[in-house]
Amino acid sequence: MEDAIWNVWMYDGHDGAVRALERTCTDIAARCYDMAESRLMLLLRRRPDWAEAWNKAATLYYLQDRDDESVSAIHRTLQIEPRHFGALCGLGEILRAQGENEAACLAFERALRVHPQMEIVRKTLDSLRPVQ
């Protein structure tokens, strides 16, 4: 089921946009971050309401330790697709790394409400909650 959701998010009615996002993913995996960012900026100008393109931008910025830009891209992703559990998890990870455990818990809890089968997120959340 999760794969089916990702397939929907990766789809856009314009074949060129899908190919550009796939190339961006390849660039990110190869650590060709400048090329990935150039592709994403062009893509987002053409498809500003494509949540997954914004999510990929958030991922790219996260990998470059550009947390503020990543969070901004995550917020844009969530404006378009509030159920984007990947973006919610990314936000949780950034907040956790910044020591904002309470806010991180909220992001992870929201992700679990959308996709309750994410056991690793549940374990992360359990580790962040204070012992009572």
Side-chain angles (χ1 to χ4, degrees), residues 5-132:
I5 293 169
W6 281 107
N7 287 337
V8 168
W9 287 342
M10 290 291 292
Y11 176 76
D12 182 81
H14 190 273
D15 286 342
V18 172
R19 282 193 301 278
L21 190 61
E22 288 170 351
R23 287 186 192 122
T24 297
C25 292
T26 300
D27 292 337
I28 291 171
R31 297 183 181 176
C32 297
Y33 297 145
D34 290 342
M35 180 62 75
E37 187 166 8
S38 294
R39 285 187 208 280
L40 274 171
M41 293 307 101
L42 286 170
L43 178 58
L44 287 169
R45 269 187 243 135
R46 292 182 186 136
R47 302 307 236 210
D49 293 327
W50 191 6
E52 192 54 32
W54 284 105
N55 187 55
K56 293 300 184 237
T59 300
L60 173 65
Y61 298 145
Y62 175 79
L63 292 170
Q64 295 176 305
D65 296 320
R66 295 163 59 185
D67 288 349
D68 290 343
E69 290 166 280
S70 184
V71 169
S72 180
I74 288 168
H75 285 301
R76 184 69 181 119
T77 302
L78 294 172
Q79 285 174 342
I80 299 165
E81 176 49 78
R83 300 166 297 174
H84 200 298
F85 52 83
L88 289 164
C89 290
L91 179 60
E93 287 298 332
I94 291 169
L95 292 167
R96 180 173 74 154
Q98 293 175 344
E100 299 288 337
N101 289 352
E102 188 174 327
C105 285
L106 292 173
F108 289 131
E109 287 167 354
R110 191 169 156 200
L112 284 172
R113 279 195 301 274
V114 175
H115 185 356
Q117 291 79 29
M118 294 187 298
E119 286 305 314
I120 188 110
V121 175
R122 190 172 309 285
K123 289 177 184 174
T124 299
L125 187 56
D126 288 345
S127 74
L128 287 174
R129 288 186 176 133
V131 178
Q132 297 181 5

